[in-house]
Structures are given as structure tokens and as C-alpha cells.
Amino acid sequence: MVKSPILRRAAILALAAAMLLAGPVSVLSTAGATPVAERQTISVTENVDVWERSPLTLRTTSEGPTTIVGPRTFINVESAATGDLPLNKRTLTVHERNESINMSFEPRIGAGTRALAGDEAQLLAVKLNRVPTTDGLDTGNVTASIGAVFANNTNVTSSELLDDAAGVGRISETGELNASYTPESGGAYAFVLVTVDEGDEGLSVSDGNVSVNGQVTVVGVEQAIVQDNASTVEPTRNPVNPGDDVTLNVDTEIEDENATHAVVLVRQGELQRQSSTVTVSGELNESFSQDQISVRNSFDSVSGVATVGNGTRIAGINLSTNQSIPAIGLQGLFGVLVSQADSDAGGDVVHASATVVSDAPDTNVTVQTLDSWPNGAYQYVHVAVGNESGTINSDTGTVALSPGGGPDDGGPPGDSPGNGGPPDNAGGPNGAENDEAEEA
């Protein structure tokens, strides 16, 4: 087992869950203290600059129907002496189509925004058209970047603009702005917040293509996965003995095609007690390579079993190859657990297993447990992606592990941290404790 392998280029995108369209730009630096000074921006096109701290400022605040609280995740850019900056993303969420996704732009640790007070803002909602299927989207050949958005490659992305008419106006005197977006279909979305620096119009969108009139600066980026429908998932037996298989009966709304089913089973309350730190070493210049990116987790390993079909992917990440990426977003969570699951794991471990298979849309999916797993509640998260359409379905629930087929260690699932329940300080949707505090 490789505990902290070097990330491939696709994992650089994992600053905001592998689908964040600003990934390759936003990882370059987080130096500087005064927002959007020229020395702190990177030019993407002649008319578009990106603030180096844009990955820290914009966050979704609404929870979706499928949610799991993940580890606290940090980024440390050594050349800029940033220390560990929190990414303020605790929950891993699948949102619902035709339901509002609420967002907030505000000062965060490492990213003050008050200097932007009064600036005119616009929000791009960008949908990735290359849908995440088992043989479709590959992050190696699709450039998911801000550059792709403004290059108007409609085979990759399409965009919708939210401005004054949609309630996205000027940034407040405290450097804050709230916005919401209602997706009409499932898929992978990114949100790009810009300030209009020169010109009256700024951004405009026609037939999904983005035009720039004047000069704009990207000051916030965020991502979201949206499902088309909910799946219905029920354990065929509950509780089960440690070491027995957990079989889930899955019904989806996907029709006339096979689907990739991805299931994670993890002891409830364990993930949010952990942390993951992305370290960027060396100089950040044109010779920047994936060898400069590494991940350090607070836990030693994953006690569990990973069952993954060859070449199976979820949201563009090939889960049949070893990789350790930050657990930001569901793709990151699957990547970490699949790459580190070990039946002989020891030390400070997370008890979790994962199964990823291609099968009929309605099927039984089996996840293995180990004899050594402690009693208590375990949360399962199911995501199904249509292999041809990219249609997304998901569901979550709990199953109890208990010897003799009944709870005997403190009562029902999730009753306390000692029995697998969440700790008292589990934290809110996208932050915990001081995650959302303004820098000193």
C-alpha cells in the first residue's frame, strides 16, 4: 500500500474536488495579502486574470440529499510560506436538479476580500458537457480549466451568466456576496465569480459561449455535483456481523443503459475527525510538475476492502489505479479509500470499504466488512452514473454492525462517537470551528 503517492495531473484539480474548473490555475500560488494586486494575479487570456487566492473564497452553503462529512482539508504552498490554509470544504454533497444551490463569497483564512468592496460582480455557472461515464470523461484529455471556459470549447463546457438581473450585484462593504443557482439537469458544475475591472459589460454569454468586454478578474471558484434523480438503496440485512458482507438493493431512475455503481461504507463519525494536507513544494513556474504535489493524511491507513472493476471511473477519476488524493468531493473520497484500503491495516485507521462496478441500473451491490471492525453505525453512500448518458443518481443511509445480528454496544446506530456516531464538533456544511474566520 502506498500511503502518500505523488498526484497525477488530474489530482491537481482536487483543490475543489477534481471537477473544479479553476484547478490548474488556482494551485499555482497563494502568496500575497492585498487582494487582486497585479503581482497576485495570473493572466488566463488578454482580458481575464485570476486572483491566486480565488480557490478559498467562494463556497456552497446548501446541503443536498446525499451528504457525508469529510476530513478537514488544507493546502500548504511552501514557496509562498502560506502554512496550512483550510479549504473550508467539510461536506461532500450531491445536489438536486431544480433545487437552489446557495453560495457565499466572504473573507476566509488566507484570503481577505474587503478590498473588493463595491466592485461589480458576475457569476458564471459552468456545466461540464463531457459527462462522467466509465469510458467518457478522462481528465487526461479534457482540460478542465478556466482557460477552457473562456476558450468557448462547447464540447467541454457550456456557461450561464448570473448578474444584476439574477441578484448578483456589487460586493458589500464587508467584502461579501451571496448568490444562488438552480441547475435544470444533473452533472458536474463549476461556479466562477469575477469582478468587472474595466468596461461596462464585463462578461456576456450567448448559446453557452462566454465573451469578455473589458477586463475581469476571477476572485472565487467553487464546484458542485448535481444528481438527476435519487436512487433508492436498502440493505438486504441490517444489522450484520463484523466480517459479513453488506449487500445493498439498488433501484435507480436510469433506463435503457448500464450504470457504474460506486458505494462507500465508512464508520460513522470517523472521517470528520481526520485531516488531509496538500503540499505544493518547489518553485511555481513554467516547469511546474505533478511531482511537486503530495498529500499527507492524519490517519495511517484505511482498514477495509476495495473492490473495483478494471478501468472503472467516477467523475473522470480512474479508480482502478492507485492514487491518494484529498477527500474533497465524492470523487476524492472514493479515490482515497480505494487506493488505501487494506485488510491488514494498522495504526490510526479509518474503517471503510468501497465497491465500484458496472452493472444494470437496478441491481445488488455488495461491500465487504472485516472481522476487526468495531461495532456501531456505518454510513453508506451510493452514486450511480449512466454509462452512456452520464445521468447521476445517489442515496445514503446507515447500517449497523453488531455481533449476533443485533445492537449490543450502546444502542442504535450513531448514538455516540464511541459507537460510531458523529462527534459533538462535527461541524457545519462547509466549515468547522475557525475554517470560515477572516484572517488576522
Side-chain angles (χ1 to χ4, degrees), residues 161-360:
L161 183 65
L162 285 73
D163 51 17
D164 289 331
V168 178
R170 295 186 180 275
I171 296 174
S172 74
E173 62 182 14
T174 57
E176 300 178 13
L177 183 143
N178 294 317
S180 65
Y181 175 74
T182 302
E184 296 181 354
S185 61
Y189 288 81
F191 302 99
V192 182
L193 184 71
V194 306
T195 55
V196 181
D197 304 324
E198 296 179 10
D200 296 331
E201 186 175 0
L203 301 180
S204 60
V205 174
S206 176
D207 296 328
N209 291 327
V210 181
S211 300
V212 185
N213 181 8
Q215 188 77 25
V216 300
T217 299
V218 176
V219 295
V221 287
E222 176 61 310
Q223 63 84 40
I225 299 295
V226 177
Q227 70 178 22
D228 298 271
N229 296 287
S231 55
T232 301
V233 180
E234 293 290 342
T236 58
R237 186 161 59 97
N238 188 11
V240 300
N241 297 318
D244 289 352
D245 292 344
V246 173
T247 300
L248 302 173
N249 181 264
V250 175
D251 290 322
T252 73
E253 298 295 325
I254 300 172
E255 299 180 355
D256 301 326
E257 60 177 316
N258 280 355
T260 294
H261 298 272
V263 175
V264 160
L265 179 69
V266 59
R267 191 182 183 209
Q268 196 166 347
E270 281 191 340
L271 283 176
Q272 59 256 51
R273 290 195 286 267
Q274 305 296 336
S275 64
S276 181
T277 302
V278 184
T279 299
V280 183
S281 60
E283 294 300 320
L284 306 178
N285 49 38
E286 293 181 355
S287 61
F288 181 84
S289 73
Q290 60 192 27
D291 293 342
Q292 295 175 238
I293 308 293
S294 62
V295 177
R296 183 181 72 256
N297 295 314
S298 62
F299 52 93
D300 295 318
S301 53
V302 176
S303 172
V305 180
T307 305
V308 183
N310 290 332
T312 51
R313 290 181 171 90
I314 179 172
I317 293 179
N318 188 334
L319 297 178
S320 60
T321 59
N322 285 336
Q323 55 185 312
S324 178
I325 63 180
I328 313 169
L330 289 173
Q331 310 98 315
L333 175 62
F334 276 99
V336 169
L337 299 185
V338 165
S339 66
Q340 299 199 22
D342 191 334
S343 60
D344 296 322
D348 184 9
V349 301
V350 170
H351 299 88
S353 288
T355 296
V356 184
V357 295
S358 182
D359 207 334

Side-chain angles (χ1 to χ4, degrees), residues 75-229:
I75 183 170
N76 188 332
V77 182
E78 292 181 345
S79 64
T82 62
D84 294 346
L85 295 178
L87 288 181
N88 311 306
K89 292 184 69 68
R90 291 299 307 276
T91 55
L92 320 177
T93 298
V94 178
H95 298 270
E96 190 84 58
R97 70 181 174 98
N98 297 325
E99 296 288 339
S100 294
I101 299 176
N102 299 323
M103 288 163 274
S104 68
F105 172 84
E106 60 187 77
R108 314 277 186 180
I109 295 175
T113 59
R114 281 198 173 94
L116 299 172
D119 285 5
E120 183 69 26
Q122 297 175 311
L123 181 68
L124 272 179
V126 183
K127 183 179 179 182
L128 194 66
N129 289 334
R130 290 287 297 273
V131 291
T133 69
T134 54
D135 55 2
L137 173 66
D138 184 341
T139 48
N141 57 44
V142 175
T143 304
S145 66
I146 287 180
V149 175
F150 292 101
N152 289 320
N153 186 347
T154 53
N155 290 325
V156 178
T157 63
S158 60
S159 302
E160 184 176 345
L161 183 65
L162 285 73
D163 51 17
D164 289 331
V168 178
R170 295 186 180 275
I171 296 174
S172 74
E173 62 182 14
T174 57
E176 300 178 13
L177 183 143
N178 294 317
S180 65
Y181 175 74
T182 302
E184 296 181 354
S185 61
Y189 288 81
F191 302 99
V192 182
L193 184 71
V194 306
T195 55
V196 181
D197 304 324
E198 296 179 10
D200 296 331
E201 186 175 0
L203 301 180
S204 60
V205 174
S206 176
D207 296 328
N209 291 327
V210 181
S211 300
V212 185
N213 181 8
Q215 188 77 25
V216 300
T217 299
V218 176
V219 295
V221 287
E222 176 61 310
Q223 63 84 40
I225 299 295
V226 177
Q227 70 178 22
D228 298 271
N229 296 287

